[in-house]
Amino acid sequence: MGIASRKNKLSVEKERAREQWGRDPAGAAYARDHEFATREFFDAVERHRYTEYAPWMRAVMGFDRFSGQKLLEVGGGMGTDLLQLARGGAHVTGIDLTPRSIEITRKHFELYEQQGEFAISDCERLPFAAKSFDVVYSNGVLHHTPDTEGAVREIYRVLRPDGLARIMLYHRNSWNYWIEIILHRGLLRGHFLRGHTPQEIMSRFIEINEGGGRPLVKVYSRREARELFSMFSEVKLQVEQLVRPELYVLGKFIPEKTFRRLRRVIGWNVIISARK
């Protein structure tokens, strides 16, 4: 089933985002050994995402906690998370700015015999009436749109009273930002000397980028994330996402208990759970 999309002139940043994920769908690089958009392909993407990259994600994002609820995913990519939410019993709708993402998501759902509604749409102008959803979910998307504040206001608008927004943004006070972007890329690799800003460095290196796309990338501290969602009545934050190879040689020797604590302090993702 489809939902009519609002037409609007896209900004340069949004065109770059559409180009980036049209050419390099998020997660596709981890299933190169399989034919694109087959069961084997999607299984490999899922296995990497939830087993190797982010084993915390199923529990923290709560894929099985929204049974019977109307859920909107903003920026679903290939529909990997949305499929888990549908399997968990949510009545799902997925939007994405990139036409190819919606096409892939439809195929994904058809292969696994799951139901959903899908639309090409801008997260800053959601094509839904106020108070339409019980849950709005977005994982790693809103930091790529120019008006993130406007996107959050739209999420607030379409949520029902007491509805939940569960959103992941990139974390400023993370190992990835300060060690990889600022120290490694900016200072040691000379990008600052060449006049590149941290945002420009992130645009070049954060996302898998074989097509040469340069998407907008922003980062948020915990305080900034809390302020961004200040219109909500309750805001809870959790930091996650760190893998041992990112710590270089140190990653081999840090005890697991200590590593988990580090992940929750200097991880790359800040997860916001905001109640309307």
Side-chain angles (χ1 to χ4, degrees):
M1 296 177 67
I3 300 170
S5 303
R6 263 184 210 178
K7 294 182 179 179
N8 62 292
K9 186 176 180 180
L10 294 178
S11 67
V12 172
E13 291 90 349
K14 291 175 185 177
E15 288 285 8
R16 280 161 47 196
R18 179 176 274 183
E19 178 184 0
Q20 162 73 28
W21 284 286
R23 291 183 178 182
D24 294 313
Y30 304 106
R32 289 189 179 121
D33 293 340
H34 304 283
E35 182 182 349
F36 187 82
T38 60
R39 268 187 172 267
E40 293 78 13
F41 171 87
F42 288 125
D43 286 346
V45 170
E46 195 172 304
R47 187 163 52 248
H48 175 267
R49 184 167 178 79
Y50 306 126
T51 304
E52 300 172 32
Y53 177 69
W56 54 269
M57 193 177 292
R58 287 185 184 277
V60 171
M61 302 310 263
F63 293 150
D64 60 353
R65 296 179 195 165
F66 306 117
S67 181
Q69 297 186 58
K70 259 191 104 173
L71 182 145
L72 170 67
E73 182 177 21
V74 174
M78 297 193 296
T80 307
D81 286 1
L82 193 63
L83 185 72
Q84 315 313 310
L85 291 157
R87 286 169 168 166
H91 304 300
V92 302
T93 299
I95 66 152
D96 201 284
L97 188 65
T98 305
R100 191 180 181 210
S101 294
I102 293 300
E103 178 186 337
I104 296 167
T105 298
R106 289 184 190 277
K107 177 69 179 296
H108 197 170
F109 270 61
E110 288 170 5
L111 275 175
Y112 292 88
E113 300 181 338
Q114 292 292 329
Q115 299 296 312
E117 296 189 345
F118 314 100
I120 301 165
S121 180
D122 184 341
C123 65
E124 296 174 15
R125 297 176 178 86
L126 295 176
F128 306 105
K131 304 177 184 178
S132 292
F133 296 95
D134 302 299
V135 181
V136 178
Y137 176 91
S138 184
N139 194 335
V141 173
L142 300 189
H143 45 233
H144 295 303
T145 198
D147 186 9
T148 301
E149 293 83 358
V152 173
R153 287 193 296 272
E154 279 290 270
I155 288 170
Y156 185 90
R157 180 182 67 81
V158 302
L159 272 172
R160 292 169 177 164
D162 201 42
L164 177 71
R166 180 150 291 157
I167 313 295
M168 186 278 276
L169 301 172
Y170 288 153
H171 184 209
R172 182 187 301 278
N173 296 323
S174 61
W175 176 275
N176 195 40
Y177 182 75
W178 288 105
I179 302 302
E180 180 61 24
I181 299 302
I182 301 300
L183 178 60
H184 178 210
R185 300 286 183 182
L187 294 172
L188 300 181
R189 299 295 292 272
H191 283 278
F192 289 156
L193 290 176
R194 294 196 288 275
H196 298 154
T197 65
Q199 190 173 88
E200 289 169 334
I201 297 169
M202 289 191 293
S203 180
R204 286 170 176 263
F205 297 109
I206 287 298
E207 307 299 339
I208 290 177
N209 200 317
E210 294 176 351
R214 295 285 185 269
L216 173 66
V217 183
K218 295 184 276 188
V219 289
Y220 294 84
S221 67
R222 292 177 183 83
R223 179 181 59 79
E224 290 166 337
R226 193 174 290 279
E227 288 175 358
L228 190 62
F229 287 82
S230 60
M231 66 191 73
F232 287 77
S233 65
E234 179 184 75
V235 179
K236 296 180 180 178
L237 305 178
Q238 183 170 343
V239 170
E240 284 286 357
Q241 195 44 46
L242 185 68
V243 294
R244 288 181 179 272
E246 292 175 333
L247 301 176
Y248 301 103
V249 68
L250 290 174
K252 299 179 181 179
F253 302 107
I254 296 174
E256 181 60 27
K257 188 175 181 180
T258 303
F259 177 75
R260 286 198 301 269
R261 288 176 179 169
L262 280 174
R263 192 181 77 199
R264 292 166 184 163
V265 176
I266 58 171
W268 179 227
N269 297 172
V270 56
I271 298 105
I272 303 103
S273 296
R275 184 72 64 180
K276 184 172 180 179

